[in-house]
Amino acid sequence: MPEYIPFNRIFKDAEERKALADALDGDCWHGDGPAGKRVESYLGEWLGSPHVFLTTSCTHALEMAMLVLDIGEGDEVIMPSFTFVSTANAVRMRGARPVFADIRDSDLTMDPEDVARKITPSTRAVIPVHYAGVSADFDGLRKAVDGRDIAIVEDAAQAVGAYWNDRALGTVGDIGCFSFHDTKNITCGEGGAFLTGDAGLAEKAEWVREKGTNRSAFLRGEIDKYTWVSQGSSYIPSDLLASLLEAQLRKKERILEARAGVWHAYRDRLASAADKGWIRLPEIPPYARTNYHIFHFHVRDLSDRDPLLNRFREAGIGASFHYVPLHNAPYAQKILGAQPPLPRTEELAGTLIRLPLFPDLEIVKEVVADRVLAVLTDYFTGKRGD
Ligand SMILES: Cc1ncc(COP(=O)(O)O)c(C=O)c1O
């Protein structure tokens, strides 16, 4: 049995160990300490964002977004059904209604034409998800919202260091939300960030993040007491985690380069399987520069996906599906009632396979890509076992 290749492995070395040890030896374990501040200004400079707030997760950054936009009962927020539950929960937690739009065959991002069809007078925001680190279609989305007072909140959980034209994802919409979970390209275990270019939203974000108080202004010496100024919660990560994130950010080029190497090895090796019609490879639109967060492909037939996932597992390859669509999930049915079908979402989610992708695979990328091709060849040349 060849060595098992997990779906993901954290890229780490002595730098993270040292950063954490130094932070542990220091006197600041709470949040918004020196490491947190350094990381926020580093991210702001790198990505071109005037207001960056580290958060405890992307889930929490999305919750903050709904709070600062004052989204509540009677409001609707449009998002893909093909996303992680946090996108919908953030809306639901405000008592607002998630409205699910379909996605596109080419890149699995939200279909602007379906967004346009789903806009009503109650629509307050749209949340595009940059699936796999590939930008949503901002031109299309802006056309869909067409001058209405509808905020664009980017769920950029997977998209740190990816771009729409020359603009970093997370900085293109009104608000951007990042994840630094350990499944992401850059990680501190659990973490995230909230970004905005709007000073008014930034002020509210500062309150919301600090339990609904103006304590941050107090700590800067701008006021002599802090008090309760808005709804809020505890969204500030410890400086221990910020120190870890700082060490990871220092190797972001190395991480990106290695991921790109693995991604291209898969792409090159699997081109023949796509030519034979066994699988379909997704496209990257010309305005998008990916951060190589995910490598995925589609099988042609829904019935092939699960048996193939088993074959990959048997061959020691930790391949995985992605997202059970939210519009058909039990909780959506319970709170929203029966949902209209989303044909593209249902087919694309049912045929998707993700392959292992992490920097340490770089040195064995050809071997792994060959092993993947061998599994596909066995399966599609009649050894399906059926
Ligand atoms: C699209 C999307 N949104 C939100 C999240 C939540 O991120 P976090 O784990 O940082 O809360 C994820 C995590 O996988 C995600 O993929």
Side-chain angles (χ1 to χ4, degrees), residues 57-59 62 83-84 86-87 129 155 157-158 179 181 184 191 323:
S57 64
C58 181
T59 301
L62 289 161
T83 182
F84 193 65
S86 299
T87 325
V129 174
D155 183 335
Q158 304 176 7
S179 174
H181 185 265
K184 302 301 185 292
Y323 299 143

Side-chain angles (χ1 to χ4, degrees), residues 66 69-79 87-88 91-92 94-100 115-127 145 149-151 153 336:
M66 295 302 108
L69 292 170
D70 213 13
I71 282 170
E73 239 168 90
D75 293 336
E76 294 177 358
V77 178
I78 302 175
M79 66 188 67
T87 325
V91 173
R92 185 60 196 160
R94 305 301 308 143
R97 187 179 175 86
V99 174
F100 298 113
V115 171
R117 282 191 284 273
K118 290 190 167 147
I119 288 174
T120 73
S122 302
T123 307
R124 292 281 320 282
V126 296
I127 313 185
V145 303
D149 189 15
I150 296 175
V153 176
L336 305 171

Side-chain angles (χ1 to χ4, degrees), residues 134 191 242 256 376:
V134 172
L256 185 72
L376 289 174

Side-chain angles (χ1 to χ4, degrees), residues 248-374:
Q248 281 267 301
L249 282 165
R250 277 197 289 265
K251 45 175 73 114
K252 66 183 187 340
E253 279 84 15
R254 251 195 297 156
I255 291 174
L256 185 72
E257 210 176 298
R259 296 187 80 96
V262 179
W263 192 97
H264 282 290
Y266 282 142
R267 188 92 188 178
D268 294 349
R269 244 359 164 255
L270 300 191
S272 63
D275 289 344
K276 292 188 175 88
W278 297 341
I279 63 168
R280 184 174 67 78
L281 295 168
E283 290 162 31
I284 298 198
Y287 53 74
R289 197 185 334 150
T290 179
N291 63 357
Y292 305 101
H293 179 58
I294 291 173
F295 185 92
H296 59 290
F297 62 82
H298 295 272
V299 290
R300 298 276 167 186
D301 195 319
L302 288 166
S303 66
D304 282 326
R305 202 267 304 271
D306 291 346
L308 247 182
L309 280 176
N310 284 336
R311 291 288 187 93
F312 280 124
R313 262 175 233 125
E314 283 161 18
I317 296 163
S320 180
F321 70 99
H322 218 180
Y323 299 143
V324 175
L326 296 182
H327 70 291
N328 285 333
Y331 189 62
Q333 306 272 313
K334 185 174 152 194
I335 58 162
L336 305 171
Q339 291 292 290
L342 295 172
R344 306 316 315 135
T345 298
E346 285 153 34
E347 185 185 326
L348 292 164
T351 56
L352 185 146
I353 292 181
R354 290 179 296 163
L355 295 177
L357 176 50
F358 50 89
D360 287 341
L361 275 186
E362 224 277 325
I363 43 169
V364 287
K365 60 190 179 201
E366 271 93 17
V367 178
V368 176
D370 278 344
R371 220 201 273 180
V372 169
L373 184 59

